[in-house]
Amino acid sequence: MRHVISTLIFDVDGTLAETEELHRKAFNQAFKDKGLNWHWGIKLYGDLLKIAGGKERIKFYQENFLTPKSPLSDGDITVLHNEKTKIYSNLVKNGSLTLRPGIRSLIENSLKRNISLAISTSTSHSNLLSLIESCFKKKPEDIFCCLSTGDLVKKKKPASDLYDLVIDQMSIDPTECLAVEDSRIGLLAAKSAKIKVLVSPSSYHLTDDFVEADYFCKSFKKEQLPVDIYKLLYN
Ligand code: XBP
Ligand code: MG
């Protein structure tokens, strides 16, 4: 590894935990509660995950999969998405989520070695809060120096905005960072910000193309980490 890594920047959905089935459940419940006869099955949701951001995903679905007589306005979509976020938050609070194997140890060892930690996620701050409180019993700011969430930027992944925000807020050199991602759009977002990327695909992204990844592993378990990352965190 040519540069010393001073900061790990974690994606959330699919990286910290396998969250997308819970998101899909929350979307479908919100559609039902609002009287919409929409249902996102696993195959369709996998296709829709190419669009980051729940509001953007709903808009994309309406424009590309439906020909509604009275399409939802952006305001309607925001109300619908807020309802989905409430449902998702309750599902997370009910203990439906566990961290991906190896993630807790990876984060604990980074802190022990004074490697700074940050978040870069297309999801909302409130969804991040729900997950961290449920899985770590802490506030996100007790673990991560910077929280770059979808509600803070104009463009979500694969745009570099979320990663650029971390670099700007922490005033750090991108070459001394490592992004930790699960999807192609997350990989592209980090690479656009000139940040090296460790990818471990999540269940919805197993067939994504990760050719640009600097490091790849099947899981975050220490025995499956690339040797450079293992040395950084465990040697
Ligand atoms: C994943 C996303 C999010 C979630 C749904 O974000 O793209 O949109 O799928 O959450 P990341 P919201 O992998 O960057 O963590 O409905 O809050 O967008
Ligand atoms: Mg992700």
Side-chain angles (χ1 to χ4, degrees), residues 59-71:
K59 193 174 173 81
F60 177 84
Y61 170 69
Q62 183 171 246
E63 290 170 355
N64 294 274
F65 288 80
L66 304 174
T67 46
K69 291 188 197 63
S70 49

Side-chain angles (χ1 to χ4, degrees), residues 204-220:
Y204 267 107
H205 297 290
L206 294 171
T207 57
D208 281 17
D209 180 357
F210 294 114
V211 66
E212 301 88 344
D214 300 275
Y215 301 99
F216 182 90
C217 53
K218 282 179 74 174
S219 88
F220 295 114

Side-chain angles (χ1 to χ4, degrees), residues 55 58 73-85:
K55 289 196 288 289
I58 293 169
S73 67
D74 287 353
D76 295 335
I77 289 174
T78 298
V79 168
L80 174 61
H81 188 252
N82 289 341
E83 176 64 22
K84 175 264 171 183
T85 300

Side-chain angles (χ1 to χ4, degrees), residues 1 38 119 205:
M1 193 180 281
W38 300 355
I119 288 285
H205 297 290

